[in-house]
Amino acid sequence: MTTSAIQATARAMLNVSLPAPPDTVRRYVSDPERLLHCGFPPDRIAQIGPDHFQLRVRPLTWMGLAIEPTAELEIGADEQGRAWARLIDYRLQGHPWLVKNLKIDFRANLTTLEAMSGGRTPMEGWAEASASFPTPPFLAFVAEPVLTGAARTILESFLWILRDRLSKSLEQDFRRWQNSAVQVNA
């Protein structure tokens, strides 16, 4: 019996704003590590190079199978207020079949917009995650659309959590950054 490949992709739109003019927001975004720390707990992040970070993702459970990814991310930013992240490499721990067969990818982008609205500078972007794997022999009785849907739901949940964390903690971190900049300049 030939097993087909399951492929799932999820995308979340990012829409946030900060209470400052665009040039201030661009300066803040020029350190994309700040955005990484807004989206993930600090105890799960380790810097392994100038623009490279290792991120331990909380264990994910799918169809009763647990897996814990450790991702190597490259993050960057430019003077126009764009920040991005992309998965370079990863390591999986957990169920042996998933460790051997699961392929994952992740990319994200956030852009500072020029026009202020209500005293705030909007930022727009997206985060995208994908996974592919052959149909597990022990789940061969499950229809392919069900497996694909379950995988997509897990990816969407991960992205929604990331988006919510970023939305909730970004402004707090921005205000701390502003306050530390004022204290340095005083």
Side-chain angles (χ1 to χ4, degrees), residues 3-9 62-63 97-98 101-104 130-137 139-140 142-152 155:
T3 60
S4 59
I6 305 298
Q7 296 183 350
T9 300
W62 178 75
M63 305 287 275
W97 187 91
L98 285 173
N101 293 288
L102 181 65
K103 306 294 181 236
I104 59 174
S130 63
S132 64
F133 52 93
T135 301
L139 293 176
V142 178
E144 187 176 314
V146 172
L147 293 174
T148 301
R152 187 178 312 108
L155 294 173

Side-chain angles (χ1 to χ4, degrees), residues 87-138:
L87 180 68
I88 310 173
D89 198 8
Y90 61 90
R91 185 173 75 250
L92 302 173
Q93 292 180 320
H95 191 278
W97 187 91
L98 285 173
V99 168
K100 179 180 175 187
N101 293 288
L102 181 65
K103 306 294 181 236
I104 59 174
D105 196 17
F106 173 80
R107 298 178 303 139
N109 188 305
L110 189 64
T111 301
T112 303
L113 303 181
E114 286 301 314
M116 289 184 73
S117 174
R120 300 178 72 83
T121 297
M123 301 167 71
E124 292 181 349
W126 50 266
E128 184 175 82
S130 63
S132 64
F133 52 93
T135 301
F138 46 87

Side-chain angles (χ1 to χ4, degrees), residues 5-73:
I6 305 298
Q7 296 183 350
T9 300
R11 187 175 180 112
M13 301 310 291
L14 305 172
N15 293 300
V16 294
S17 66
L18 293 173
D23 61 326
T24 304
V25 174
R26 283 193 299 273
R27 280 196 309 278
Y28 172 73
V29 171
S30 70
D31 179 6
E33 181 182 346
R34 301 192 73 80
L35 301 175
L36 182 64
H37 284 278
C38 287
F40 297 98
D43 63 330
R44 295 197 161 267
I45 301 168
Q47 187 161 5
I48 55 176
D51 296 328
H52 291 84
F53 294 83
Q54 187 176 66
L55 172 65
R56 287 182 307 113
V57 178
R58 292 194 189 283
L60 305 169
T61 303
W62 178 75
M63 305 287 275
L65 307 173
I67 189 115
E68 185 173 351
T70 299
E72 182 180 333
L73 297 173

